[in-house]
Structure formats: structure tokens, C-alpha cells
């Protein structure tokens, strides 16, 4: 980890919060419980226990792996429906195939992101390719769910396949961190992801002992999830480690620091930084459907059961 990197971060554009920026305090640090998803691959529920007012417009996020599969072990998800939100699948290591009932699909690997706007609804499947099932291997990624405002809930579904080489790479003044801007903007530098709900998504690798203090939109919330390593968040250096989320309060900058020494299995502190403009609309969420009212939620289930969200393609034999 990670798949997209550079040998010398000092060759990249550098960003830092201005001196007058107001530091965001850390309101809470939560620990993600472990679980299993789909056909049985291990996940960490990154946002479990966090009040929705601090997550909006985000709904949930799973860290998938990091797991080293033996031959025959790799697993995915069976066909399942979605309506009313967007799924963002970011593969750090490994390979995932995806397909939907509208004929869309493809393969993402090593730093790629598959951004699916479910909108009015579709059926979807994610699975490791046959070659990975046969060989086994490393698998590690994230899946983030981003809510859609009511006006966009029933839009036509669409995909964005964002290749690792398309992400905006940045660094800090001392070159102590590599910042991959997947979506949104940071200090005028824009990531490739096109979002309906304004958000910023960054994967940061912070070298031991280094610190990042980044400008952050004041009307966005702020979250930092630790993929791997140990460090601290906020100006008061609240300790954080693998599988924990720091929830930031109001302000115009956020700070994350890597401990001077890291675990033997990770060189840097690996963090996903998330911010978004809250939608502040009622939310009715059950399983794979995220709507505004219970009536809309019932309609989603009825439409799925009636086949109006599509039908799973029959595998070619």
C-alpha cells in the first residue's frame, strides 16, 4: 500500500492551510467494529457509532480487507439492488470486477475508483476476477456511500471509472505527505470525481513524524479515517490508529500527524480525509435503499420485487 505513489513528493504542487486558518477541533474518535460483507469478505465499519449530523452527506463506509487470500478464497458480493445514493469503491490493492443490470461494468485495480450513481435504481454485482480466485492474493479497498439530495434521487444511473493515474497528486511544504485527491478540491486543485453532492475525498500517506495542516471548506464537515498506522488528529494531538475515525468540529483547517515510529507492516500513516456539504434533508435508509420518506422506501422495495430495477443478466455458459 498504496498503489499510486511518486518517488519524490517535492516534485508535486504543495498545499498548506494559511496562518489565519481556524483549526478544527476533534470532537470524537471512534473505533470501527469488524464484520463481513457479501459472500464473506472482512470489513471494518468505519462510521459505526458516529451521529449522522457529523456524517451528512455520507452514509457509511467499509474498509474491505486488508486481507491476503489463499487460492480459492477471494470473495465478492452477489447481485443486489441500489437506489437513491452513490457508491464509491476505491481499490488500493487487488482487483475487482463490477457489472450492473443496465449493461455497465468493468475492472478496477491498484488505485482505481469506480463511482456509481445508483439514482433511480439498478442491480449490481462486485466480484474478484476468476484469475484472482485461482491464484489468491492481496485485497484492500474502501466503499463509501454518498447520499443524493431529493432532487437527484431518481436520476438515471451512471458510472465514472477513475483510473489511479487520473487522481490529483499533491504534497505538503516539507514533502512529508503524499495527497491523492480523488474527488472535490483542495486549495484550488481538483480531483477527477464528479459529484452531485459537493464533497472532498483524499487518500493521504504521511511519513513518520510528519504533519499535515490542510485548508478545509468551512461549510463542509470533516472526517479522518485511519487505514493503517498510528498518529494523532487535531491541534491537541488526539491519538488515532488503524480502524479509527476522527470527527472534526467547525473551522477552516484540519491537522493530522504521523507518529515518529510506525508498525512493522506499514511504512506511513495512511488516512482517508472526507468532507462534504450537509444535505440536511430527512433520510429513510434500509439496506440498499436510501430515500427521504418511508413511503419512498416502501416503493423502492416494491419496484425491486416487481423487477423494475432491472434483472440480473443470465451468465453465459
Amino acid at each position: 500500500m498504496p498503489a499510486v505513489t511518486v518517488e519524490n513528493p517535492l516534485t508535486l504542487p504543495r498545499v498548506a492551510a494559511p496562518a489565519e486558518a481556524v483549526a478544527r477541533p476533534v470532537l470524537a474518535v471512534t473505533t470501527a467494529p469488524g464484520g463481513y460483507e457479501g459472500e464473506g469478505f472482512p470489513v471494518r465499519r468505519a462510521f459505526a457509532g458516529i451521529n449522522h449530523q457529523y456524517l451528512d452527506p455520507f452514509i457509511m463506509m467499509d474498509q474491505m480487507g486488508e486481507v491476503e487470500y489463499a487460492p480459492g478464497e477471494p470473495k465478492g458480493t452477489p447481485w443486489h439492488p441500489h437506489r437513491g445514493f452513490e457508491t464509491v469503491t476505491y481499490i488500493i490493492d487487488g482487483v475487482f470486477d463490477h457489472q450492473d443490470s443496465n449493461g455497465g461494468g468493468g475492472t478496477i485495480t491498484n488505485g482505481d475508483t469506480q463511482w456509481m450513481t445508483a439514482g433511480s435504481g439498478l442491480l449490481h454485482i462486485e466480484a474478484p476476477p476468476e484469475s484472482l480466485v485461482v491464484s489468491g492474493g492481496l485485497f484492500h479497498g474502501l466503499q463509501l456511500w454518498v447520499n443524493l439530495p431529493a432532487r437527484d434521487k431518481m436520476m438515471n444511473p451512471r458510472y465514472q471509472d477513475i483510473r489511479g493515474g487520473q487522481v490529483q497528486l499533491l504534497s505538503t511544504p516539507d514533502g512529508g505527505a503524499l495527497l491523492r485527491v480523488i474527488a472535490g478540491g483542495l486549495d484550488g486543485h481538483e480531483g477527477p470525481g464528479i459529484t452531485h453532492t459537493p464533497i472532498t475525498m483524499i487518500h493521504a500517506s504521511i511519513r513518520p513524524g510528519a504533519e499535515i495542516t490542510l485548508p478545509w471548506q468551512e461549510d463542509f464537515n470533516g472526517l479522518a479515517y485511519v487505514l493503517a498506522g498510528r498518529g494523532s488528529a487535531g491541534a491537541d494531538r488526539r491519538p488515532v490508529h488503524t480502524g479509527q475515525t476522527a470527527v472534526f468540529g467547525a473551522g477552516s483547517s484540519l491537522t493530522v500527524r504521523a507518529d515518529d515510529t510506525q508498525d512493522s507492516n506499514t511504512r506511513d500513516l495512511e488516512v482517508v480525509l472526507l468532507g462534504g456539504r450537509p444535505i440536511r434533508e430527512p433520510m429513510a435508509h434500509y439496506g440498499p435503499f436510501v430515500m427521504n420518506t418511508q413511503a419512498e422506501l416502501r416503493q423502492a422495495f416494491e419496484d425491486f420485487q416487481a423487477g423494475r430495477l432491472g434483472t440480473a443478466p443470465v451468465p453465459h455458459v
Side-chain angles (χ1 to χ4, degrees):
M1 182 170 57
V4 179
T5 189
V6 294
E7 188 172 332
N8 182 9
L10 288 173
T11 62
L12 301 171
R14 286 169 252 179
V15 297
E20 66 272 17
V22 177
R24 288 177 174 245
V26 175
L27 304 179
V29 173
T30 64
T31 301
Y36 291 90
E37 188 55 80
E39 297 170 336
F41 57 86
V43 298
R44 286 190 174 104
R45 308 289 190 190
F47 295 160
I50 301 175
N51 190 302
H52 180 67
Q53 68 174 311
Y54 301 116
L55 294 179
D56 185 15
F58 307 113
I59 302 163
M60 58 161 278
M61 185 169 74
D62 284 346
Q63 180 181 8
M64 305 179 293
E66 183 176 6
V67 59
E68 183 75 40
Y69 283 121
E73 284 188 343
K75 299 174 177 67
T77 62
W79 285 99
H80 56 283
H82 288 302
R83 172 180 279 182
F85 64 102
E86 300 184 289
T87 64
V88 183
T89 306
Y90 173 49
I91 299 299
I92 299 167
D93 289 296
V95 187
F96 234 21
D97 288 340
H98 59 94
Q99 184 182 2
D100 72 29
S101 53
N102 287 348
T107 299
I108 49 175
T109 182
N110 296 348
D112 295 342
T113 301
Q114 178 250 309
W115 202 296
M116 184 183 76
T117 304
S120 60
L122 44 65
L123 303 185
H124 188 234
I125 187 171
E126 298 157 307
E130 185 178 352
S131 59
L132 182 64
V133 176
V134 171
S135 67
L138 184 63
F139 180 75
H140 188 202
L142 286 175
Q143 186 168 96
L144 171 70
W145 289 15
V146 185
N147 202 3
L148 288 169
R151 66 178 182 272
D152 294 328
K153 290 283 189 191
M154 297 300 286
M155 68 175 294
N156 291 331
R158 76 169 186 188
Y159 274 116
Q160 299 173 70
D161 279 327
I162 302 169
R163 299 304 169 190
Q166 295 176 280
V167 302
Q168 174 70 65
L169 299 180
L170 305 170
S171 188
T172 47
D174 63 358
L178 175 61
L179 310 173
R180 305 165 191 81
V181 184
I182 297 169
L186 182 64
D187 198 28
H189 303 276
E190 298 295 322
I194 300 170
T195 69
H196 291 278
T197 303
I199 72 165
T200 293
M201 181 179 182
I202 297 168
H203 175 192
S205 297
I206 309 171
R207 290 182 175 174
E211 181 176 280
I212 60 173
T213 298
L214 303 179
W216 211 250
Q217 284 193 220
E218 291 189 67
D219 60 341
F220 279 22
N221 58 6
L223 302 158
Y225 176 72
V226 182
L227 289 166
R230 292 180 288 113
S232 60
D236 58 352
R237 295 192 175 182
R238 290 280 295 275
V240 290
H241 59 72
T242 303
Q244 290 191 317
T245 301
V247 181
F248 289 90
S252 56
S253 72
L254 57 79
T255 297
V256 179
R257 185 184 187 280
D259 283 356
D260 293 339
T261 58
Q262 295 296 320
D263 301 329
S264 60
N265 63 339
T266 181
R267 188 186 76 170
D268 300 326
L269 174 66
E270 303 286 348
V271 182
V272 173
L273 304 173
L274 295 167
R277 184 175 298 141
I279 296 174
R280 295 193 175 95
E281 293 178 349
M283 186 175 73
H285 173 204
Y286 190 88
F289 304 125
V290 184
M291 306 304 293
N292 292 100
T293 67
Q294 291 296 318
E296 291 171 341
L297 205 56
R298 288 192 294 271
Q299 186 63 55
F301 275 100
E302 290 176 12
D303 288 347
F304 167 56
Q305 291 165 352
R308 288 189 285 268
L309 270 61
T311 55
V314 177
H316 174 72
V317 179

